[in-house]
Amino acid sequence: MRPPRFSAASSFHADLKERIKNYFAEKNLSPTGNFSLYFKAIVMVVAFIFIYVHLVFFTPFWPFAIFESIILGALTAGIGFNVMHDGAHGSFSRKGWVNELAGISINFLGANVFMWKTKHNVAHHSFTNVEDHDDDLNAGVFLRLGPAQKRYKLHRFQHRYFIFIYSILYFYWVFFTDYKKYVTRKVGETPIKKMNFMEHVSFWGFKVVHLFLFIFLPIYMVGFLPWLVGFLLLGLSTGVIMSVVFQLAHVLEETSFPTPHVETNKLEDDWAVHQLKTTANFATQNKVLSWFIGGLNYQIEHHLFPHISHIHYPAISQIIKETCREYGIPYIEHPKMRIAFASHVNHLRHLGKMD
């Protein structure tokens, strides 16, 4: 399936890029991460290691073990949001090897950064909310996330059971879809570039490391049943947190789900306007939330400028808002996370009932 084409770049996009470039030049800032990002990364990684060691080697009383397993899942998502995500986009640091190291953090957590870059950086960022090209819309038959997808009878209840589907995302990703991509050499309809020898070694080597650290060693240290409960809590909490954060940015009542023209295979808007119509911000004034989820509540800023670290999103959001107002282009934003969540639920309810 040929990827669709965007309309010619607009003056809006050129003007916006110039304004953002001037902002960093005038402030004498690098668009990549800074000390605050590196400190946060260290805090999250150290906390993750500490809790992991405490759970596996100094197994606490079971109520504390349950709590720590959930926190470990939250830190898994947090490291993905703050360290891996910026690293995989090349925005964590000015140094390439540091970005590579930050991106590889996802490999220790069970997934694979090579596959992620194709799924996220290429397919999702290029063709946001375009059916058959944005693999983030693909939930199989379990959920209908876009209007172009086929509706099944079970979708009438998807607004009630969607959290369960989201909760198994981590397990599905780590133990199934990574291997499916590896075998088929595709992410949805997007081909994966040919892997070199070291990328094959990295894929299988880190999968073995993850199995040892999160399955074999914990079972040996604490026993099968305690491991199973802890691992399920870790994976389920990771899945819910990651899924909700990404879905509140795109799968909403207010966002668009464009389809290419049948004959020309061309989308209506240029790439930048397309991103603004398919993406939304939420709870950007919540500093704690922004800190934890790596600025992914500033999803508009991230999609328009994925090579800029999330540390700078609050500042550049003001420039983007002003430019959108001048050009009469929508800037979708929900002031509270609960409002964005309600919009997501309503979207699922609507798609479950309507063809």
Side-chain angles (χ1 to χ4, degrees):
M1 182 177 295
R2 291 185 300 114
R5 295 179 296 116
F6 290 98
S7 297
S10 63
S11 58
F12 161 77
H13 193 196
D15 189 13
L16 181 60
K17 287 192 294 183
E18 186 65 22
R19 295 184 189 192
I20 297 297
K21 179 182 176 181
N22 290 340
Y23 165 79
F24 284 101
E26 291 168 4
K27 299 288 185 180
N28 195 26
L29 292 173
S30 168
T32 54
N34 55 25
F35 175 79
S36 63
L37 173 57
Y38 307 145
F39 179 76
K40 175 167 60 169
I42 292 170
V43 167
M44 286 191 168
V45 171
V46 169
F48 182 94
I49 294 172
F50 176 82
I51 294 177
Y52 172 87
V53 170
H54 191 240
L55 276 169
V56 175
F57 296 99
F58 305 93
T59 310
F61 186 45
W62 68 266
F64 297 103
I66 287 175
F67 175 73
E68 288 186 8
S69 297
I70 295 172
I71 295 299
L72 200 63
L75 286 169
T76 300
I79 291 171
F81 293 146
N82 292 276
V83 183
M84 181 281 294
H85 192 247
D86 273 30
H89 278 291
S91 64
F92 189 84
S93 169
R94 284 179 287 185
K95 298 183 183 298
W97 68 269
V98 177
N99 287 321
E100 291 293 326
L101 187 63
I104 284 175
S105 62
I106 197 177
N107 291 22
F108 287 98
L109 302 175
N112 181 264
V113 69
F114 181 91
M115 301 300 173
W116 166 264
K117 285 182 178 180
T118 302
K119 173 182 172 60
H120 184 75
N121 296 10
V122 178
H124 173 64
H125 270 267
S126 298
F127 305 107
T128 311
N129 280 10
V130 179
E131 180 63 22
D132 292 327
H133 297 281
D134 182 358
D135 195 56
D136 283 7
L137 290 179
N138 181 16
V141 299
F142 302 107
L143 293 172
R144 187 185 186 212
L145 299 177
Q149 295 175 340
K150 183 176 180 180
R151 186 173 70 90
Y152 295 96
K153 288 184 178 180
L154 78 162
H155 293 154
R156 289 179 295 171
F157 311 104
Q158 66 176 4
H159 62 287
R160 300 184 186 278
Y161 66 74
F162 71 97
I163 285 292
F164 170 75
I165 302 299
Y166 291 171
S167 71
I168 62 176
L169 167 71
Y170 173 77
F171 298 120
Y172 186 66
W173 179 8
V174 170
F175 296 113
F176 179 72
T177 60
D178 263 358
Y179 296 103
K180 179 183 177 182
K181 295 166 196 168
Y182 184 88
V183 172
T184 63
R185 300 289 190 271
K186 291 197 303 183
V187 174
E189 297 296 330
T190 304
I192 295 174
K193 73 174 185 177
K194 187 177 181 180
M195 299 172 72
N196 61 38
F197 175 75
M198 288 307 300
E199 286 165 341
H200 285 287
V201 171
S202 176
F203 180 89
W204 291 107
F206 277 109
K207 288 294 186 183
V208 171
V209 168
H210 178 259
L211 290 174
F212 174 77
L213 290 176
F214 291 91
I215 297 179
F216 299 132
L217 181 60
I219 290 176
Y220 176 77
M221 295 300 299
V222 306
F224 178 79
L225 188 58
W227 162 80
L228 180 62
V229 173
F231 189 61
L232 285 174
L233 289 172
L234 182 158
L236 294 174
S237 57
T238 302
V240 169
I241 293 169
M242 292 186 66
S243 296
V244 168
V245 167
F246 283 111
Q247 297 293 48
L248 297 192
H250 299 291
V251 185
L252 304 166
E253 292 178 292
E254 297 83 2
T255 52
S256 298
F257 295 81
T259 55
H261 190 277
V262 175
E263 295 179 359
T264 63
N265 196 34
K266 192 173 183 179
L267 291 160
E268 179 182 1
D269 298 302
D270 78 333
W271 178 84
V273 175
H274 175 92
Q275 298 303 321
L276 283 156
K277 289 183 177 180
T278 58
T279 307
N281 287 359
F282 61 92
T284 55
Q285 299 304 308
N286 188 327
K287 295 189 185 319
V288 175
L289 179 69
S290 298
W291 185 90
F292 172 66
I293 67 174
L296 290 178
N297 50 336
Y298 286 91
Q299 193 75 194
I300 290 173
E301 287 66 33
H302 173 59
H303 266 254
L304 289 173
F305 298 98
H307 298 302
I308 294 178
S309 172
H310 72 266
I311 294 296
H312 304 289
Y313 291 166
I316 68 172
S317 69
Q318 302 307 313
I319 300 172
I320 295 172
K321 282 183 184 179
E322 179 60 31
T323 310
C324 286
R325 278 195 293 268
E326 290 179 19
Y327 282 84
I329 295 172
Y331 183 98
I332 307 170
E333 184 171 23
H334 291 105
K336 303 288 185 181
M337 186 174 182
R338 58 181 171 80
I339 298 175
F341 189 82
S343 176
H344 178 60
V345 174
N346 289 336
H347 175 77
L348 293 178
R349 182 188 291 111
H350 176 75
L351 287 185
K353 294 180 179 179
M354 304 294 291
D355 284 323

